[in-house]
Amino acid sequence: MSALPPIVPPFALETARLKVRAAENAWNTRDPDRVALAYTEDTVWRNRAEFPKGRDEVRAFLHRKWARELDYRLVKELWSFTADRIAVRFQYEWHDDSGQWFRSYGNELWEFDAAGLMRRREASINDRPIKPDERKFHWPAPGPRPDDHPGLSGVE
């Protein structure tokens, strides 16, 4: 079995959707080493109040994130795109070490280099405490959202 070719700019509707789903699937692995490889060595991020720079800082950020955000499950949806930029909206659910569940809502702006690596990521995120019976995302994790599980438009 051979690997699929990278999804690179310029993006069309279908390739932008594929890039978003590939990012969602990677983040749902909760594997910082794997996820960090999607970013340029000198990537620049804004994530809430943190500003990681470079792949090593991104990897460290992701380790901290998934140590705190337990049983994380993410759904992303394409919002808009240009030749080398993609905007997404997303929701993810997680709980803290006390068992309190949250749904996090956000938007991301992505910019890619010619090889399809993300050189810039800006994320705005808000967290809302939820009760366990309010959860929407129940697939086995870590792992990708099943193909038959609805995206954001299907669960709102």
Side-chain angles (χ1 to χ4, degrees):
M1 176 183 270
S2 63
L4 296 174
I7 305 166
V8 299
F11 298 115
L13 179 58
E14 187 56 28
T15 55
R17 283 184 177 145
L18 288 171
K19 193 71 162 178
V20 171
R21 185 61 188 251
E24 175 190 310
N25 289 345
W27 278 63
N28 275 323
T29 68
R30 300 192 308 251
D31 180 346
D33 296 318
R34 176 180 171 193
V35 172
L37 294 176
Y39 303 93
T40 61
E41 287 288 344
D42 61 349
T43 192
V44 177
W45 279 28
R46 179 184 58 78
N47 193 96
R48 301 178 193 254
E50 291 192 59
F51 297 83
K53 290 187 176 117
R55 195 180 281 166
D56 290 338
E57 286 186 22
V58 164
R59 188 178 292 110
F61 167 86
L62 293 170
H63 275 286
R64 289 190 312 276
K65 172 184 179 61
W66 289 318
R68 182 181 66 250
E69 296 177 355
L70 306 173
D71 289 325
Y72 174 98
R73 289 168 180 83
L74 166 72
V75 178
K76 292 183 181 280
E77 184 172 271
L78 176 66
W79 188 258
S80 183
F81 70 96
T82 64
D84 66 347
R85 294 179 177 171
I86 295 176
V88 300
R89 67 187 192 109
F90 61 87
Q91 294 178 24
Y92 63 90
E93 294 176 345
W94 57 281
H95 67 83
D96 63 18
D97 58 4
S98 74
Q100 172 62 59
W101 280 93
F102 296 87
R103 184 170 306 113
S104 298
Y105 299 85
N107 302 295
E108 292 176 308
L109 304 174
W110 301 341
E111 183 178 69
F112 296 89
D113 71 5
L117 297 176
M118 195 180 302
R119 64 177 157 222
R120 183 171 196 86
R121 174 183 176 267
E122 298 199 18
S124 298
I125 308 166
N126 298 300
D127 303 318
R128 177 178 164 249
I130 60 173
K131 297 176 186 168
D133 65 354
E134 295 176 301
R135 292 180 52 216
K136 301 177 189 176
F137 310 143
H138 297 279
W139 64 86
R145 173 172 51 98
D147 289 338
D148 63 348
H149 189 287
L152 288 184
S153 295
V155 297
E156 294 180 317

